[in-house]
Amino acid sequence: MLTQTTITAMQMLACLALRGDAEPVPPRQIARHLRASPSYLAKIASMLVKAGLLSVRHGAHGGVALRRPPDSITLYDVYVACKGRIRCDFCLPNGACRPLCEFHQVMEELHQGLAETLRRHTLWDIAVKSPRRPVVGVPDFCKMDAANAAARALDVKTGP
């Protein structure tokens, strides 16, 4: 249902939210800890900057940081930044199968449910509010555990 790009964007944003500070982090460092390609994460960061979810600072101490508080960034915002608006044109363009066929009605219901669910949940919900489990070994089993591990690793690298 969600693309790898959208999930990776959520991980990247969650990692930044979990760090809890506004200091920019180079996408290359986040990529290393999320086990993602640096160029792929740079592309995702660019989409998130264009959508107003990240700010970017250039220069020696540059990187990306959350532009808004994590509780104001909905998962719908992230989805739209990565994939564009959720569209519901399953049959004919612009719902031209009027009255709507049964398939189109089911897909419309699915569309509404997905959009509503993504709007109801925020970055805060999936990152900060989630219980922090101890990171043991490689956190491949949970996408947010991977973001948690990345945030911890970045704090060690950038801490005092």
Side-chain angles (χ1 to χ4, degrees):
M1 181 147 311
L2 296 178
T3 64
Q4 185 60 48
T5 298
T6 304
I7 292 169
T8 304
M10 288 179 183
Q11 287 179 300
M12 178 182 199
L13 292 168
C15 173
L16 292 169
L18 286 164
R19 290 189 71 241
D21 63 18
E23 284 301 308
V25 179
R28 180 173 295 280
Q29 285 185 12
I30 299 170
R32 182 174 62 243
H33 296 293
L34 289 179
R35 297 177 150 185
S37 158
S39 60
Y40 179 57
L41 211 67
K43 174 185 161 196
I44 293 171
S46 176
M47 290 188 286
L48 298 172
V49 167
K50 286 179 188 171
L53 303 179
L54 288 180
S55 60
V56 64
R57 183 190 304 166
H58 299 284
H61 301 287
V64 293
L66 291 180
R67 189 170 195 165
R68 302 182 347 218
D71 63 348
S72 74
I73 299 173
T74 68
L75 300 185
Y76 185 79
D77 295 333
V78 182
Y79 184 96
V80 170
C82 296
K83 288 195 64 172
R85 294 193 138 327
I86 297 175
R87 298 180 52 176
C88 187
D89 54 356
F90 297 100
C91 291
L92 300 171
N94 301 320
C97 61
R98 301 273 182 218
L100 293 180
C101 70
E102 195 62 32
F103 174 75
H104 203 131
Q105 288 177 31
V106 170
M107 293 301 108
E108 178 65 27
E109 186 178 329
L110 176 66
H111 165 264
Q112 293 301 324
L114 176 62
E116 183 180 310
T117 300
L118 291 173
R119 283 186 180 109
R120 193 172 56 240
H121 297 281
T122 66
L123 183 58
W124 174 268
D125 296 332
I126 66 165
V128 181
K129 192 167 111 177
S130 292
R132 300 239 178 117
R133 299 188 299 235
V135 178
V136 179
V138 180
D140 287 334
F141 53 89
C142 175
K143 300 299 182 189
M144 288 307 111
D145 281 353
N148 186 3
R152 287 182 187 183
L154 289 168
D155 281 341
V156 169
K157 298 257 188 237
T158 60

PDB file of all heavy atoms in Angstrom, residues 48-84:
ATOM      1  N   LEU A  48      10.914  16.145   0.455  1.00  0.00           N
ATOM      2  CA  LEU A  48      10.393  16.605   1.737  1.00  0.00           C
ATOM      3  C   LEU A  48      10.660  18.094   1.954  1.00  0.00           C
ATOM      4  O   LEU A  48       9.862  18.785   2.590  1.00  0.00           O
ATOM      5  CB  LEU A  48      10.982  15.764   2.874  1.00  0.00           C
ATOM      6  CG  LEU A  48      10.628  14.267   2.826  1.00  0.00           C
ATOM      7  CD1 LEU A  48      11.410  13.499   3.886  1.00  0.00           C
ATOM      8  CD2 LEU A  48       9.138  14.052   2.980  1.00  0.00           C
ATOM      9  N   VAL A  49      11.768  18.584   1.414  1.00  0.00           N
ATOM     10  CA  VAL A  49      12.054  20.027   1.478  1.00  0.00           C
ATOM     11  C   VAL A  49      11.029  20.780   0.629  1.00  0.00           C
ATOM     12  O   VAL A  49      10.444  21.776   1.080  1.00  0.00           O
ATOM     13  CB  VAL A  49      13.499  20.333   1.015  1.00  0.00           C
ATOM     14  CG1 VAL A  49      13.701  21.825   0.779  1.00  0.00           C
ATOM     15  CG2 VAL A  49      14.504  19.813   2.041  1.00  0.00           C
ATOM     16  N   LYS A  50      10.782  20.301  -0.592  1.00  0.00           N
ATOM     17  CA  LYS A  50       9.792  20.947  -1.479  1.00  0.00           C
ATOM     18  C   LYS A  50       8.408  20.966  -0.859  1.00  0.00           C
ATOM     19  O   LYS A  50       7.641  21.903  -1.072  1.00  0.00           O
ATOM     20  CB  LYS A  50       9.736  20.238  -2.825  1.00  0.00           C
ATOM     21  CG  LYS A  50      10.914  20.521  -3.711  1.00  0.00           C
ATOM     22  CD  LYS A  50      10.818  19.774  -5.025  1.00  0.00           C
ATOM     23  CE  LYS A  50      12.111  19.931  -5.803  1.00  0.00           C
ATOM     24  NZ  LYS A  50      12.166  19.058  -6.976  1.00  0.00           N
ATOM     25  N   ALA A  51       8.089  19.931  -0.082  1.00  0.00           N
ATOM     26  CA  ALA A  51       6.771  19.848   0.558  1.00  0.00           C
ATOM     27  C   ALA A  51       6.693  20.667   1.847  1.00  0.00           C
ATOM     28  O   ALA A  51       5.639  20.749   2.471  1.00  0.00           O
ATOM     29  CB  ALA A  51       6.437  18.384   0.857  1.00  0.00           C
ATOM     30  N   GLY A  52       7.814  21.261   2.260  1.00  0.00           N
ATOM     31  CA  GLY A  52       7.823  22.078   3.468  1.00  0.00           C
ATOM     32  C   GLY A  52       7.907  21.285   4.759  1.00  0.00           C
ATOM     33  O   GLY A  52       7.608  21.803   5.830  1.00  0.00           O
ATOM     34  N   LEU A  53       8.325  20.018   4.669  1.00  0.00           N
ATOM     35  CA  LEU A  53       8.438  19.193   5.870  1.00  0.00           C
ATOM     36  C   LEU A  53       9.844  19.244   6.466  1.00  0.00           C
ATOM     37  O   LEU A  53      10.024  19.022   7.660  1.00  0.00           O
ATOM     38  CB  LEU A  53       8.059  17.740   5.557  1.00  0.00           C
ATOM     39  CG  LEU A  53       6.653  17.546   4.960  1.00  0.00           C
ATOM     40  CD1 LEU A  53       6.402  16.084   4.671  1.00  0.00           C
ATOM     41  CD2 LEU A  53       5.595  18.116   5.886  1.00  0.00           C
ATOM     42  N   LEU A  54      10.827  19.509   5.630  1.00  0.00           N
ATOM     43  CA  LEU A  54      12.218  19.632   6.064  1.00  0.00           C
ATOM     44  C   LEU A  54      12.751  20.998   5.679  1.00  0.00           C
ATOM     45  O   LEU A  54      12.324  21.574   4.681  1.00  0.00           O
ATOM     46  CB  LEU A  54      13.106  18.579   5.392  1.00  0.00           C
ATOM     47  CG  LEU A  54      12.999  17.123   5.813  1.00  0.00           C
ATOM     48  CD1 LEU A  54      13.984  16.278   5.006  1.00  0.00           C
ATOM     49  CD2 LEU A  54      13.246  16.957   7.293  1.00  0.00           C
ATOM     50  N   SER A  55      13.699  21.473   6.464  1.00  0.00           N
ATOM     51  CA  SER A  55      14.462  22.655   6.063  1.00  0.00           C
ATOM     52  C   SER A  55      15.881  22.168   5.786  1.00  0.00           C
ATOM     53  O   SER A  55      16.299  21.131   6.284  1.00  0.00           O
ATOM     54  CB  SER A  55      14.450  23.718   7.163  1.00  0.00           C
ATOM     55  OG  SER A  55      15.016  23.209   8.341  1.00  0.00           O
ATOM     56  N   VAL A  56      16.582  22.927   4.981  1.00  0.00           N
ATOM     57  CA  VAL A  56      17.935  22.530   4.625  1.00  0.00           C
ATOM     58  C   VAL A  56      18.891  23.665   4.963  1.00  0.00           C
ATOM     59  O   VAL A  56      18.558  24.837   4.786  1.00  0.00           O
ATOM     60  CB  VAL A  56      18.027  22.122   3.132  1.00  0.00           C
ATOM     61  CG1 VAL A  56      17.725  23.293   2.216  1.00  0.00           C
ATOM     62  CG2 VAL A  56      19.364  21.532   2.790  1.00  0.00           C
ATOM     63  N   ARG A  57      20.054  23.312   5.483  1.00  0.00           N
ATOM     64  CA  ARG A  57      21.112  24.286   5.745  1.00  0.00           C
ATOM     65  C   ARG A  57      22.325  23.824   4.952  1.00  0.00           C
ATOM     66  O   ARG A  57      22.750  22.673   5.063  1.00  0.00           O
ATOM     67  CB  ARG A  57      21.461  24.347   7.223  1.00  0.00           C
ATOM     68  CG  ARG A  57      22.523  25.417   7.494  1.00  0.00           C
ATOM     69  CD  ARG A  57      23.107  25.375   8.887  1.00  0.00           C
ATOM     70  NE  ARG A  57      22.122  25.480   9.940  1.00  0.00           N
ATOM     71  CZ  ARG A  57      22.388  25.200  11.216  1.00  0.00           C
ATOM     72  NH1 ARG A  57      23.597  24.784  11.585  1.00  0.00           N
ATOM     73  NH2 ARG A  57      21.469  25.310  12.136  1.00  0.00           N
ATOM     74  N   HIS A  58      22.861  24.724   4.165  1.00  0.00           N
ATOM     75  CA  HIS A  58      24.033  24.412   3.347  1.00  0.00           C
ATOM     76  C   HIS A  58      25.296  24.767   4.114  1.00  0.00           C
ATOM     77  O   HIS A  58      25.269  25.516   5.075  1.00  0.00           O
ATOM     78  CB  HIS A  58      23.977  25.182   2.020  1.00  0.00           C
ATOM     79  CG  HIS A  58      22.777  24.836   1.197  1.00  0.00           C
ATOM     80  ND1 HIS A  58      22.661  23.666   0.487  1.00  0.00           N
ATOM     81  CD2 HIS A  58      21.617  25.504   1.009  1.00  0.00           C
ATOM     82  CE1 HIS A  58      21.505  23.627  -0.118  1.00  0.00           C
ATOM     83  NE2 HIS A  58      20.840  24.734   0.182  1.00  0.00           N
ATOM     84  N   GLY A  59      26.398  24.209   3.691  1.00  0.00           N
ATOM     85  CA  GLY A  59      27.676  24.547   4.298  1.00  0.00           C
ATOM     86  C   GLY A  59      28.258  23.406   5.111  1.00  0.00           C
ATOM     87  O   GLY A  59      27.732  22.292   5.140  1.00  0.00           O
ATOM     88  N   ALA A  60      29.355  23.709   5.787  1.00  0.00           N
ATOM     89  CA  ALA A  60      30.113  22.698   6.520  1.00  0.00           C
ATOM     90  C   ALA A  60      29.287  22.028   7.609  1.00  0.00           C
ATOM     91  O   ALA A  60      29.454  20.845   7.879  1.00  0.00           O
ATOM     92  CB  ALA A  60      31.353  23.329   7.137  1.00  0.00           C
ATOM     93  N   HIS A  61      28.409  22.761   8.248  1.00  0.00           N
ATOM     94  CA  HIS A  61      27.581  22.200   9.314  1.00  0.00           C
ATOM     95  C   HIS A  61      26.143  22.062   8.834  1.00  0.00           C
ATOM     96  O   HIS A  61      25.209  22.173   9.625  1.00  0.00           O
ATOM     97  CB  HIS A  61      27.650  23.063  10.573  1.00  0.00           C
ATOM     98  CG  HIS A  61      29.046  23.187  11.096  1.00  0.00           C
ATOM     99  ND1 HIS A  61      29.688  22.145  11.734  1.00  0.00           N
ATOM    100  CD2 HIS A  61      29.933  24.211  11.039  1.00  0.00           C
ATOM    101  CE1 HIS A  61      30.903  22.538  12.052  1.00  0.00           C
ATOM    102  NE2 HIS A  61      31.083  23.780  11.649  1.00  0.00           N
ATOM    103  N   GLY A  62      26.001  21.802   7.555  1.00  0.00           N
ATOM    104  CA  GLY A  62      24.680  21.734   6.953  1.00  0.00           C
ATOM    105  C   GLY A  62      24.021  20.376   7.089  1.00  0.00           C
ATOM    106  O   GLY A  62      24.587  19.431   7.631  1.00  0.00           O
ATOM    107  N   GLY A  63      22.824  20.319   6.583  1.00  0.00           N
ATOM    108  CA  GLY A  63      22.041  19.095   6.611  1.00  0.00           C
ATOM    109  C   GLY A  63      20.570  19.437   6.577  1.00  0.00           C
ATOM    110  O   GLY A  63      20.183  20.535   6.174  1.00  0.00           O
ATOM    111  N   VAL A  64      19.758  18.489   6.998  1.00  0.00           N
ATOM    112  CA  VAL A  64      18.320  18.691   7.014  1.00  0.00           C
ATOM    113  C   VAL A  64      17.812  18.603   8.445  1.00  0.00           C
ATOM    114  O   VAL A  64      18.410  17.958   9.302  1.00  0.00           O
ATOM    115  CB  VAL A  64      17.581  17.657   6.129  1.00  0.00           C
ATOM    116  CG1 VAL A  64      17.910  17.872   4.665  1.00  0.00           C
ATOM    117  CG2 VAL A  64      17.889  16.230   6.552  1.00  0.00           C
ATOM    118  N   ALA A  65      16.702  19.293   8.696  1.00  0.00           N
ATOM    119  CA  ALA A  65      16.051  19.278  10.009  1.00  0.00           C
ATOM    120  C   ALA A  65      14.554  19.394   9.782  1.00  0.00           C
ATOM    121  O   ALA A  65      14.106  19.861   8.717  1.00  0.00           O
ATOM    122  CB  ALA A  65      16.538  20.451  10.861  1.00  0.00           C
ATOM    123  N   LEU A  66      13.790  18.972  10.762  1.00  0.00           N
ATOM    124  CA  LEU A  66      12.339  19.123  10.658  1.00  0.00           C
ATOM    125  C   LEU A  66      12.001  20.597  10.565  1.00  0.00           C
ATOM    126  O   LEU A  66      12.557  21.416  11.305  1.00  0.00           O
ATOM    127  CB  LEU A  66      11.638  18.513  11.873  1.00  0.00           C
ATOM    128  CG  LEU A  66      11.676  16.999  12.016  1.00  0.00           C
ATOM    129  CD1 LEU A  66      10.934  16.579  13.278  1.00  0.00           C
ATOM    130  CD2 LEU A  66      11.087  16.316  10.802  1.00  0.00           C
ATOM    131  N   ARG A  67      11.089  20.919   9.683  1.00  0.00           N
ATOM    132  CA  ARG A  67      10.672  22.311   9.535  1.00  0.00           C
ATOM    133  C   ARG A  67       9.508  22.642  10.466  1.00  0.00           C
ATOM    134  O   ARG A  67       9.286  23.808  10.784  1.00  0.00           O
ATOM    135  CB  ARG A  67      10.274  22.560   8.090  1.00  0.00           C
ATOM    136  CG  ARG A  67      10.038  23.996   7.784  1.00  0.00           C
ATOM    137  CD  ARG A  67       9.883  24.214   6.317  1.00  0.00           C
ATOM    138  NE  ARG A  67      10.005  25.621   6.028  1.00  0.00           N
ATOM    139  CZ  ARG A  67      10.193  26.100   4.850  1.00  0.00           C
ATOM    140  NH1 ARG A  67      10.291  25.273   3.810  1.00  0.00           N
ATOM    141  NH2 ARG A  67      10.298  27.382   4.656  1.00  0.00           N
ATOM    142  N   ARG A  68       8.767  21.599  10.830  1.00  0.00           N
ATOM    143  CA  ARG A  68       7.615  21.773  11.709  1.00  0.00           C
ATOM    144  C   ARG A  68       7.705  20.771  12.859  1.00  0.00           C
ATOM    145  O   ARG A  68       8.406  19.774  12.748  1.00  0.00           O
ATOM    146  CB  ARG A  68       6.318  21.531  10.924  1.00  0.00           C
ATOM    147  CG  ARG A  68       6.167  22.430   9.741  1.00  0.00           C
ATOM    148  CD  ARG A  68       4.879  22.286   8.940  1.00  0.00           C
ATOM    149  NE  ARG A  68       4.036  21.137   9.176  1.00  0.00           N
ATOM    150  CZ  ARG A  68       3.380  20.503   8.210  1.00  0.00           C
ATOM    151  NH1 ARG A  68       3.493  20.882   6.947  1.00  0.00           N
ATOM    152  NH2 ARG A  68       2.607  19.480   8.488  1.00  0.00           N
ATOM    153  N   PRO A  69       6.990  21.019  13.933  1.00  0.00           N
ATOM    154  CA  PRO A  69       6.979  20.048  15.037  1.00  0.00           C
ATOM    155  C   PRO A  69       6.399  18.710  14.562  1.00  0.00           C
ATOM    156  O   PRO A  69       5.511  18.682  13.703  1.00  0.00           O
ATOM    157  CB  PRO A  69       6.056  20.698  16.080  1.00  0.00           C
ATOM    158  CG  PRO A  69       5.949  22.130  15.699  1.00  0.00           C
ATOM    159  CD  PRO A  69       6.180  22.212  14.223  1.00  0.00           C
ATOM    160  N   PRO A  70       6.885  17.593  15.121  1.00  0.00           N
ATOM    161  CA  PRO A  70       6.429  16.280  14.672  1.00  0.00           C
ATOM    162  C   PRO A  70       4.928  16.043  14.839  1.00  0.00           C
ATOM    163  O   PRO A  70       4.337  15.283  14.093  1.00  0.00           O
ATOM    164  CB  PRO A  70       7.221  15.285  15.515  1.00  0.00           C
ATOM    165  CG  PRO A  70       8.149  16.050  16.350  1.00  0.00           C
ATOM    166  CD  PRO A  70       7.920  17.502  16.134  1.00  0.00           C
ATOM    167  N   ASP A  71       4.305  16.730  15.797  1.00  0.00           N
ATOM    168  CA  ASP A  71       2.864  16.527  15.975  1.00  0.00           C
ATOM    169  C   ASP A  71       2.028  17.312  14.973  1.00  0.00           C
ATOM    170  O   ASP A  71       0.808  17.180  14.934  1.00  0.00           O
ATOM    171  CB  ASP A  71       2.434  16.856  17.410  1.00  0.00           C
ATOM    172  CG  ASP A  71       2.665  18.306  17.793  1.00  0.00           C
ATOM    173  OD1 ASP A  71       3.369  19.037  17.046  1.00  0.00           O
ATOM    174  OD2 ASP A  71       2.159  18.716  18.854  1.00  0.00           O
ATOM    175  N   SER A  72       2.677  18.113  14.122  1.00  0.00           N
ATOM    176  CA  SER A  72       1.939  18.852  13.091  1.00  0.00           C
ATOM    177  C   SER A  72       2.170  18.280  11.689  1.00  0.00           C
ATOM    178  O   SER A  72       1.618  18.778  10.717  1.00  0.00           O
ATOM    179  CB  SER A  72       2.327  20.331  13.112  1.00  0.00           C
ATOM    180  OG  SER A  72       3.626  20.506  12.567  1.00  0.00           O
ATOM    181  N   ILE A  73       2.972  17.230  11.590  1.00  0.00           N
ATOM    182  CA  ILE A  73       3.236  16.581  10.299  1.00  0.00           C
ATOM    183  C   ILE A  73       2.433  15.290  10.251  1.00  0.00           C
ATOM    184  O   ILE A  73       2.718  14.346  10.992  1.00  0.00           O
ATOM    185  CB  ILE A  73       4.736  16.276  10.120  1.00  0.00           C
ATOM    186  CG1 ILE A  73       5.554  17.571  10.140  1.00  0.00           C
ATOM    187  CG2 ILE A  73       4.975  15.498   8.828  1.00  0.00           C
ATOM    188  CD1 ILE A  73       7.063  17.357  10.141  1.00  0.00           C
ATOM    189  N   THR A  74       1.412  15.271   9.407  1.00  0.00           N
ATOM    190  CA  THR A  74       0.604  14.060   9.300  1.00  0.00           C
ATOM    191  C   THR A  74       1.263  13.073   8.338  1.00  0.00           C
ATOM    192  O   THR A  74       2.065  13.463   7.476  1.00  0.00           O
ATOM    193  CB  THR A  74      -0.822  14.348   8.803  1.00  0.00           C
ATOM    194  OG1 THR A  74      -0.763  14.779   7.435  1.00  0.00           O
ATOM    195  CG2 THR A  74      -1.528  15.387   9.665  1.00  0.00           C
ATOM    196  N   LEU A  75       0.905  11.820   8.487  1.00  0.00           N
ATOM    197  CA  LEU A  75       1.415  10.810   7.564  1.00  0.00           C
ATOM    198  C   LEU A  75       0.879  11.073   6.161  1.00  0.00           C
ATOM    199  O   LEU A  75       1.528  10.729   5.172  1.00  0.00           O
ATOM    200  CB  LEU A  75       1.055   9.412   8.050  1.00  0.00           C
ATOM    201  CG  LEU A  75       1.603   9.051   9.429  1.00  0.00           C
ATOM    202  CD1 LEU A  75       1.291   7.596   9.765  1.00  0.00           C
ATOM    203  CD2 LEU A  75       3.089   9.320   9.534  1.00  0.00           C
ATOM    204  N   TYR A  76      -0.272  11.723   6.079  1.00  0.00           N
ATOM    205  CA  TYR A  76      -0.803  12.128   4.771  1.00  0.00           C
ATOM    206  C   TYR A  76       0.134  13.144   4.120  1.00  0.00           C
ATOM    207  O   TYR A  76       0.395  13.068   2.918  1.00  0.00           O
ATOM    208  CB  TYR A  76      -2.213  12.711   4.927  1.00  0.00           C
ATOM    209  CG  TYR A  76      -2.881  13.039   3.617  1.00  0.00           C
ATOM    210  CD1 TYR A  76      -3.461  12.035   2.844  1.00  0.00           C
ATOM    211  CD2 TYR A  76      -2.930  14.340   3.148  1.00  0.00           C
ATOM    212  CE1 TYR A  76      -4.071  12.326   1.641  1.00  0.00           C
ATOM    213  CE2 TYR A  76      -3.545  14.642   1.949  1.00  0.00           C
ATOM    214  CZ  TYR A  76      -4.119  13.633   1.194  1.00  0.00           C
ATOM    215  OH  TYR A  76      -4.718  13.926  -0.013  1.00  0.00           O
ATOM    216  N   ASP A  77       0.665  14.084   4.904  1.00  0.00           N
ATOM    217  CA  ASP A  77       1.626  15.060   4.376  1.00  0.00           C
ATOM    218  C   ASP A  77       2.829  14.350   3.754  1.00  0.00           C
ATOM    219  O   ASP A  77       3.300  14.726   2.680  1.00  0.00           O
ATOM    220  CB  ASP A  77       2.144  15.989   5.482  1.00  0.00           C
ATOM    221  CG  ASP A  77       1.076  16.877   6.093  1.00  0.00           C
ATOM    222  OD1 ASP A  77       0.080  17.185   5.414  1.00  0.00           O
ATOM    223  OD2 ASP A  77       1.249  17.266   7.275  1.00  0.00           O
ATOM    224  N   VAL A  78       3.322  13.319   4.438  1.00  0.00           N
ATOM    225  CA  VAL A  78       4.486  12.570   3.959  1.00  0.00           C
ATOM    226  C   VAL A  78       4.120  11.804   2.686  1.00  0.00           C
ATOM    227  O   VAL A  78       4.858  11.811   1.709  1.00  0.00           O
ATOM    228  CB  VAL A  78       5.029  11.610   5.035  1.00  0.00           C
ATOM    229  CG1 VAL A  78       6.259  10.871   4.534  1.00  0.00           C
ATOM    230  CG2 VAL A  78       5.341  12.366   6.321  1.00  0.00           C
ATOM    231  N   TYR A  79       2.967  11.159   2.705  1.00  0.00           N
ATOM    232  CA  TYR A  79       2.493  10.397   1.548  1.00  0.00           C
ATOM    233  C   TYR A  79       2.405  11.305   0.316  1.00  0.00           C
ATOM    234  O   TYR A  79       2.915  10.975  -0.749  1.00  0.00           O
ATOM    235  CB  TYR A  79       1.131   9.775   1.856  1.00  0.00           C
ATOM    236  CG  TYR A  79       0.595   8.895   0.766  1.00  0.00           C
ATOM    237  CD1 TYR A  79       0.784   7.523   0.804  1.00  0.00           C
ATOM    238  CD2 TYR A  79      -0.102   9.425  -0.312  1.00  0.00           C
ATOM    239  CE1 TYR A  79       0.302   6.695  -0.200  1.00  0.00           C
ATOM    240  CE2 TYR A  79      -0.588   8.618  -1.319  1.00  0.00           C
ATOM    241  CZ  TYR A  79      -0.384   7.253  -1.254  1.00  0.00           C
ATOM    242  OH  TYR A  79      -0.866   6.462  -2.258  1.00  0.00           O
ATOM    243  N   VAL A  80       1.766  12.455   0.486  1.00  0.00           N
ATOM    244  CA  VAL A  80       1.591  13.393  -0.638  1.00  0.00           C
ATOM    245  C   VAL A  80       2.946  13.917  -1.116  1.00  0.00           C
ATOM    246  O   VAL A  80       3.171  14.061  -2.317  1.00  0.00           O
ATOM    247  CB  VAL A  80       0.639  14.547  -0.244  1.00  0.00           C
ATOM    248  CG1 VAL A  80       0.644  15.652  -1.290  1.00  0.00           C
ATOM    249  CG2 VAL A  80      -0.773  14.008  -0.044  1.00  0.00           C
ATOM    250  N   ALA A  81       3.865  14.163  -0.195  1.00  0.00           N
ATOM    251  CA  ALA A  81       5.199  14.644  -0.582  1.00  0.00           C
ATOM    252  C   ALA A  81       5.916  13.624  -1.462  1.00  0.00           C
ATOM    253  O   ALA A  81       6.650  13.997  -2.378  1.00  0.00           O
ATOM    254  CB  ALA A  81       6.038  14.939   0.661  1.00  0.00           C
ATOM    255  N   CYS A  82       5.691  12.345  -1.198  1.00  0.00           N
ATOM    256  CA  CYS A  82       6.404  11.287  -1.922  1.00  0.00           C
ATOM    257  C   CYS A  82       5.672  10.784  -3.154  1.00  0.00           C
ATOM    258  O   CYS A  82       6.297  10.439  -4.150  1.00  0.00           O
ATOM    259  CB  CYS A  82       6.672  10.110  -0.988  1.00  0.00           C
ATOM    260  SG  CYS A  82       7.761  10.526   0.378  1.00  0.00           S
ATOM    261  N   LYS A  83       4.363  10.717  -3.087  1.00  0.00           N
ATOM    262  CA  LYS A  83       3.593  10.095  -4.166  1.00  0.00           C
ATOM    263  C   LYS A  83       2.625  11.034  -4.862  1.00  0.00           C
ATOM    264  O   LYS A  83       2.043  10.672  -5.875  1.00  0.00           O
ATOM    265  CB  LYS A  83       2.786   8.917  -3.615  1.00  0.00           C
ATOM    266  CG  LYS A  83       3.639   7.731  -3.256  1.00  0.00           C
ATOM    267  CD  LYS A  83       2.802   6.505  -3.062  1.00  0.00           C
ATOM    268  CE  LYS A  83       2.143   6.126  -4.351  1.00  0.00           C
ATOM    269  NZ  LYS A  83       1.463   4.875  -4.375  1.00  0.00           N
ATOM    270  N   GLY A  84       2.379  12.184  -4.298  1.00  0.00           N
ATOM    271  CA  GLY A  84       1.352  13.060  -4.838  1.00  0.00           C
ATOM    272  C   GLY A  84       0.018  12.745  -4.185  1.00  0.00           C
ATOM    273  O   GLY A  84      -0.083  11.844  -3.359  1.00  0.00           O
TER     274      GLY A  84
END
